[in-house]
Amino acid sequence: MHPKISEIAFDDFLERFMPGPDMPAKWAKEIPGMSTTVLMETKETNICDELCKVAQPIFDHCPHGDKLAAKNTSHTPDDSHCEDYSEKLKVDVSFYPVDDDAKGDYTRPELTGSHAATRWAWISLLVEVKTAQKHCAFDFEDEKVEKKDVGRKKAVDGGEDGGGDAEHRDGPQESAAVGRGQGHATDDGDPPTPRPFVRTGEAAERALGCMGKYIAKLLRRQHRLHIFTLYVFKGQVRVLRSDRAGTIVSTPVNFEADPSLLHKVLWRYACMNQVERGFDPTVTRATVEEIEAMRSCPAMNNAAGAYRDAALDQPGWPVYKITMRRGDLIDQRSMQPIADEFYEPEELSIPEDRVGTSDEVCFIVGKHRSATNSPAGRGMRGYIAYDVSRRRLVFLKDYWRPCIKSSLFEGEVLHSLRSVGVRYVPTPLAAGIVQDEMGVQETCTQDFLPVDERTGCYAPRQEHYRLVVKEIGEPLEEHKSPYELVKVIWHALYGHRQAWELKELLHRDISAGNILILRYIDKNGKMQSIGILIDWDLCKDKKYLETVLRPSRAGTWQFMSARLLRNPGKRHEVADDLESSIHVLHWILFRFVEHSLTGIANILKSRILCVYEEQGFQKDDQYKAEIGGAQKLESIRSGRPAIEVDRGTPLGRLLQRLATLCQQHYYAVEPVISSKSKSSSALAGARPVSHEALPNLRNRFNNDIVRNRTLAAPKVDAYEALSNHVEVFGAFWDALCEPLEEWAKVTRTDDQFDEPEFRSSDVSQYSDACSSQRSSRSRRSLESESVDTERAGRFKRARTTTTGLQSSTEESVVARDEA
């Protein structure tokens, strides 16, 4: 994860993000005092009870905003998010709405008083409590540390403590905000230097990561534009505001010394309406009638029906109605068929006169089908949705797009592709930037972040975007046979090739989650399937690929080309996407086809982790940019398939042909150092041998004849075989043309990643994240453009002290003068 966090003064924070009335003086007498002993102790649950004791009467007295209940949830995790990201998390204190649906979900008969269960679907604001400085993600004043500092000062001055080594703090040595007068002035009278406010050390980094998980969980589970949280340590509090661009943190204030400071924060939050608290006004609770209409809606295939049922029948996952503007609807008349062979029954074609005349179109959604798990970045969530007007099931994609010139609108991309005849890409039904009465929904944290040191660019503003497509497909792991798997990937390559050749658009994120199987009944009543290539939100126009000074690195880590993994600044090319499609094939075959490692789960896991999860960084890289791909490169250069299957089958021949093409391409674009080079012996680790050091050794086999003493580099017909689609496309096609009885010799297996050896590994986490419509991406996937195209200093920015709350997206780089 990369830091995206900034600090501003407490008063500025409240003025900017929590404006409003302060608590009337007459109510201050009604608020119980807090026990200093409890606030300073090490038992977190007692502190949680103390906070609830103070917060609840404030909420009860507030005449504005939706009513809230303060609950100690530190003992009970949410049991409604099984098989969801970070299952065992529980929050210290949760502020919940008090309506019957919410109350019925977070209350438990065995939990009395202020105690309740953690329920991510209902948390309005959460509080994180820490009792040890080293376990804090952020810097606070620690009474014990301050006493040690005084002792050290006396020792330095020759005081009573004498000499000796001073004990160092586990974290930054300098103050977080210059305005507090706690920085260190220089000898020449310059202003004091602010100290970092995010702590260092293993425990602090874990705490920061945990806070990121809380934020990610709320953004994943709720329809929120931003989130407020409180971070408490020994009678002090920081207030956080998080959106998809990052997190803004206030300087700490001491509410143990001045309780009115905490009262002010709680009162102002209580006075806020739901929009001010960060809830999306274009999303409301669905009615019982709307939920039942979705439940009874016919599905175009069995998978769509199953996904719909799973979205609705989930405790702890409320069902919502999402509203889009009628102007977001996309004209279907200009778009050509998704595939020449595709057949859609007439009863699924909804006439326009059934749509109605409302200015809005509505979609009902339950539990998401897929979602990213980072606190910052695009924040993609995919839903099986019910189109209320047309009474059909569709797929709705909700995410935040960077506002940069090279970032294309996905709905426009799909409409453009289908209008010129590109096959095997989704059918867009509606798309648009989300707007409400306040205007475009967009992030603001980027305005408080500094210029990126690597690029000289600011982080971009991000705007909320929604896309609705007609097709609901199944993931690649649902393929019925190896032949179908190869056919579906070939279909995806077909659409990819047409998009490049007809519209000069490059997808840049070929992954196992972005190729789907779409099943349908043909005119003869027979089940058929085609592949579709989805998720075009990271695609780029050819002109931007060729003109940017520092191209972005986009894709999903496991499937990125070896060259992209090894070179973060490399320009993305057609060859990278074609290589990704081959890695996708290998990945699925490792899981579902009998091969040389079948039945040896521990070795298979080691192979997968080594080839697909390898990551590190250059020792001298101050920015710690992640790199990998060494094992992929070694495999490619060998010319052998990454996975060993029967070479006498169509699949075996396809894999060997693809391996040869990749080898030829890499020998052309990255030639091997000649063995006759002057430096070859040094590179090989050769050392001169001193015969004087071997006086007593005897070799009784001196007559051995050693052949090929000098190893020659393999002869490879090096040419850029992946520079266009022709060779790879042809390899897939030729394999598909082989007799089906030959394909029947390839044995399909159960999922070989579904073994005990794979549990709790990066491999299983990625596999579980893949869905019918979207990969949630791995923790190292590159899902967002993180820097703007503007030069540093072009706009006046808020002056802040900054570091960053890490997200699980890696930063992409665009050219400074792209605009």
Side-chain angles (χ1 to χ4, degrees):
M1 302 201 323
H2 289 281
K4 292 184 180 179
I5 188 169
S6 175
E7 182 190 54
I8 67 174
F10 176 81
D11 291 337
D12 289 343
F13 186 100
L14 294 189
E15 181 180 354
R16 290 173 182 270
F17 305 119
M18 303 181 76
D22 292 332
M23 186 173 64
K26 63 179 181 179
W27 295 123
K29 299 178 181 179
E30 303 292 330
I31 310 304
M34 290 175 283
S35 168
T36 299
T37 302
V38 172
L39 291 178
M40 297 302 169
E41 69 177 21
T42 59
K43 201 166 185 179
E44 290 184 4
T45 186
N46 292 343
I47 300 174
C48 294
D49 287 336
E50 199 75 6
L51 293 172
C52 291
K53 180 184 74 174
V54 171
Q56 194 57 60
I58 293 177
F59 295 154
D60 293 340
H61 284 107
C62 183
H64 312 290
D66 294 312
K67 293 297 182 180
L68 296 169
K71 296 295 181 179
N72 180 344
T73 53
S74 61
H75 295 286
T76 312
D78 189 341
D79 59 6
S80 72
H81 64 301
C82 57
E83 299 182 358
D84 189 58
Y85 159 74
S86 295
E87 296 182 15
K88 302 300 182 181
L89 289 179
K90 52 183 180 291
V91 177
D92 289 330
V93 175
S94 301
F95 296 162
Y96 286 124
V98 296
D99 63 82
D100 291 340
D101 288 340
K103 188 181 296 185
D105 202 12
Y106 61 74
T107 57
R108 296 288 185 277
E110 69 275 12
L111 300 176
T112 59
S114 64
H115 288 224
T118 299
R119 299 302 267 187
W120 294 103
W122 302 106
I123 295 174
S124 181
L125 180 148
L126 65 84
V127 183
E128 176 75 343
V129 175
K130 294 295 182 184
T131 60
Q133 178 81 300
K134 74 175 184 177
H135 293 295
C136 286
F138 308 109
D139 190 42
F140 289 91
E141 298 301 330
D142 191 337
E143 182 181 356
K144 295 180 180 178
V145 173
E146 294 304 316
K147 290 180 179 178
K148 292 175 183 176
D149 287 341
V150 172
R152 285 197 296 268
K153 186 176 186 302
K154 290 181 179 179
V156 171
D157 293 338
E160 59 198 43
D161 288 342
D165 295 333
E167 180 181 346
H168 293 288
R169 295 180 63 183
D170 179 21
Q173 296 294 309
E174 300 178 26
S175 177
V178 175
R180 290 187 288 162
Q182 297 168 352
H184 298 282
T186 57
D187 294 339
D188 57 5
D190 289 340
T193 302
R195 75 183 183 200
F197 65 96
V198 175
R199 296 178 57 79
T200 59
E202 183 178 349
E205 291 171 0
R206 281 200 305 268
L208 183 63
C210 186
M211 199 66 207
K213 289 179 180 179
Y214 290 160
I215 295 168
K217 178 66 77 173
L218 286 178
L219 291 173
R220 179 180 169 95
R221 289 290 299 265
Q222 301 183 20
H223 296 271
R224 300 289 287 268
L225 308 180
H226 61 264
I227 292 168
F228 289 100
T229 55
L230 304 183
Y231 207 93
V232 173
F233 169 73
K234 290 190 179 299
Q236 302 167 70
V237 64
R238 289 180 181 267
V239 191
L240 284 64
R241 181 193 183 277
S242 304
D243 61 26
R244 280 296 173 185
T247 296
I248 302 170
V249 183
S250 79
T251 53
V253 293
N254 190 328
F255 65 85
E256 186 273 326
D258 184 359
S260 67
L261 295 172
L262 180 61
H263 297 172
K264 176 184 290 189
V265 172
L266 297 177
W267 182 270
R268 289 195 178 184
Y269 189 82
C271 291
M272 289 178 171
N273 59 40
Q274 290 294 80
V275 175
E276 292 168 332
R277 291 173 181 171
F279 290 88
D280 187 345
T282 68
V283 182
T284 57
R285 292 288 301 280
T287 65
V288 173
E289 293 75 18
E290 289 166 336
I291 296 173
E292 290 307 311
M294 179 176 180
R295 191 186 305 277
S296 60
C297 176
M300 73 172 297
N301 53 47
N302 292 335
Y307 300 154
R308 178 265 318 278
D309 295 342
L312 294 179
D313 299 323
Q314 294 291 335
W317 292 81
V319 180
Y320 293 97
K321 177 167 66 176
I322 294 177
T323 301
M324 296 179 66
R325 298 170 297 164
R326 189 173 183 82
D328 292 334
L329 292 174
I330 295 175
D331 189 347
Q332 304 293 298
R333 292 171 295 183
S334 64
M335 289 188 288
Q336 299 186 38
I338 190 172
D340 294 331
E341 65 271 28
F342 185 74
Y343 168 72
E344 184 177 27
E346 293 183 3
E347 59 267 22
L348 292 181
S349 301
I350 310 299
E352 287 298 318
D353 58 5
R354 192 186 295 182
V355 176
T357 58
S358 172
D359 291 334
E360 299 175 339
V361 288
C362 302
F363 302 91
I364 310 302
V365 301
K367 180 181 179 180
H368 54 65
R369 177 69 188 153
S370 55
T372 56
N373 55 19
S374 64
R378 293 176 181 258
M380 195 291 304
R381 293 179 296 178
Y383 299 91
I384 305 301
Y386 173 63
D387 183 343
V388 175
S389 298
R390 292 169 174 79
R391 300 200 289 274
R392 61 181 173 185
L393 297 179
V394 295
F395 191 86
L396 187 149
K397 179 179 174 181
D398 182 293
Y399 64 99
W400 294 75
R401 61 179 302 277
C403 299
I404 56 178
K405 189 174 180 180
S406 63
S407 181
L408 305 176
F409 292 92
E410 189 174 6
E412 295 179 2
V413 167
L414 293 177
H415 183 260
S416 173
L417 293 177
R418 289 290 298 278
S419 295
V420 298
V422 174
R423 298 320 198 229
Y424 307 112
V425 299
T427 306
L429 300 175
I433 300 169
V434 183
Q435 300 185 41
D436 54 40
E437 294 181 355
M438 303 298 292
V440 173
Q441 294 181 353
E442 57 188 18
T443 59
C444 73
T445 299
Q446 72 282 342
D447 294 332
F448 297 85
L449 299 177
V451 64
D452 187 279
E453 294 181 359
R454 286 177 287 182
T455 65
C457 303
Y458 286 116
R461 175 173 51 89
Q462 293 173 249
E463 56 190 8
H464 197 185
Y465 190 79
R466 290 192 180 117
L467 168 70
V468 180
V469 300
K470 180 185 294 185
E471 293 78 22
I472 299 175
E474 301 177 48
L476 281 181
E477 50 260 38
E478 297 299 326
H479 65 276
K480 303 298 185 184
S481 68
Y483 178 87
E484 183 182 60
L485 171 65
V486 171
K487 180 188 70 171
V488 165
I489 295 177
W490 180 75
H491 283 159
L493 284 172
Y494 194 111
H496 186 276
R497 179 176 183 174
Q498 284 189 307
W500 179 249
E501 294 179 353
L502 298 179
K503 298 295 294 184
E504 295 187 331
L505 291 174
L506 191 61
H507 188 278
R508 301 199 314 148
D509 189 16
I510 304 294
S511 70
N514 287 343
I515 301 175
L516 301 182
I517 304 171
L518 180 63
R519 302 193 189 282
Y520 64 96
I521 304 297
D522 66 14
K523 294 180 180 180
N524 300 319
K526 185 178 179 181
M527 178 65 70
Q528 302 289 354
S529 64
I530 60 173
I532 53 176
L533 180 59
I534 65 169
D535 280 2
W536 289 79
D537 52 305
L538 290 182
C539 77
K540 280 287 186 289
D541 191 288
K542 182 180 179 180
K543 63 183 178 182
Y544 291 113
L545 294 170
E546 294 180 342
T547 61
V548 293
L549 297 178
R550 294 185 64 186
S552 61
R553 182 170 72 166
T556 303
W557 187 272
Q558 290 87 348
F559 310 107
M560 289 169 63
S561 72
R563 297 188 71 203
L564 279 177
L565 291 176
R566 293 169 63 242
N567 303 287
K570 176 190 174 300
R571 178 168 63 91
H572 207 115
E573 305 172 72
V574 170
D576 299 305
D577 274 11
L578 292 177
E579 184 182 328
S580 291
S581 70
I582 297 171
H583 294 314
V584 168
L585 176 62
H586 290 163
W587 177 276
I588 301 298
L589 293 178
F590 270 122
R591 293 179 63 182
F592 296 103
V593 168
E594 189 174 287
H595 50 73
S596 61
L597 298 181
T598 297
I600 319 174
N602 55 345
I603 298 180
L604 175 60
K605 174 188 172 183
S606 298
R607 172 76 64 85
I608 298 300
L609 291 174
C610 182
V611 175
Y612 296 101
E613 294 290 340
E614 175 191 64
Q615 62 90 23
F617 53 85
Q618 292 284 1
K619 184 177 180 180
D620 56 351
D621 181 8
Q622 60 176 315
Y623 301 116
K624 307 299 183 185
E626 286 185 327
I627 60 174
Q631 293 300 318
K632 280 185 179 178
L633 178 64
E634 181 178 335
S635 176
I636 288 172
R637 285 199 177 280
S638 74
R640 297 188 301 271
I643 179 171
E644 298 178 39
V645 301
D646 186 348
R647 296 189 179 186
T649 62
L651 181 60
R653 288 187 284 273
L654 170 62
L655 292 175
Q656 182 56 63
R657 185 168 170 184
L658 293 174
T660 300
L661 292 174
C662 289
Q663 182 191 40
Q664 291 171 325
H665 183 81
Y666 269 75
Y667 268 79
V669 297
E670 293 187 0
V672 177
I673 298 175
S674 172
S675 60
K676 296 181 180 180
S677 169
K678 294 181 179 180
S679 61
S680 61
S681 60
L683 290 173
R687 296 289 185 273
V689 177
S690 172
H691 292 286
E692 296 178 359
L694 310 174
N696 300 319
L697 295 182
R698 297 290 184 267
N699 180 5
R700 297 180 180 275
F701 305 97
N702 277 331
N703 294 327
D704 286 354
I705 299 176
V706 180
R707 302 186 185 279
N708 301 322
R709 188 182 297 271
T710 302
L711 298 178
K715 294 182 179 179
V716 177
D717 182 14
Y719 82 105
E720 297 185 31
L722 306 185
S723 62
N724 58 51
H725 293 77
V726 174
E727 294 286 359
V728 172
F729 195 76
F732 274 85
W733 173 250
D734 290 345
L736 292 171
C737 290
E738 294 205 40
L740 290 179
E741 54 267 25
E742 290 296 309
W743 275 98
K745 297 177 182 178
V746 183
T747 303
R748 191 190 193 280
T749 69
D750 293 332
D751 190 353
Q752 297 175 58
F753 289 1
D754 189 22
E755 296 290 339
E757 290 82 355
F758 283 87
R759 290 170 191 165
S760 301
S761 70
D762 289 338
V763 179
S764 66
Q765 289 170 14
Y766 179 86
S767 301
D768 291 343
C770 292
S771 75
S772 69
Q773 195 74 17
R774 172 70 171 186
S775 156
S776 72
R777 303 181 186 271
S778 74
R779 59 186 171 85
R780 289 187 296 277
S781 64
L782 319 183
E783 67 163 12
S784 66
E785 302 288 357
S786 60
V787 292
D788 205 348
T789 59
E790 304 296 344
R791 291 182 180 275
R794 177 173 293 186
F795 298 115
K796 184 177 180 179
R797 302 281 175 139
R799 298 181 63 184
T800 62
T801 305
T802 60
T803 179
L805 183 65
Q806 299 175 342
S807 75
S808 63
T809 60
E810 195 166 324
E811 295 186 342
S812 309
V813 181
V814 294
R816 296 174 186 157
D817 54 358
E818 177 180 296

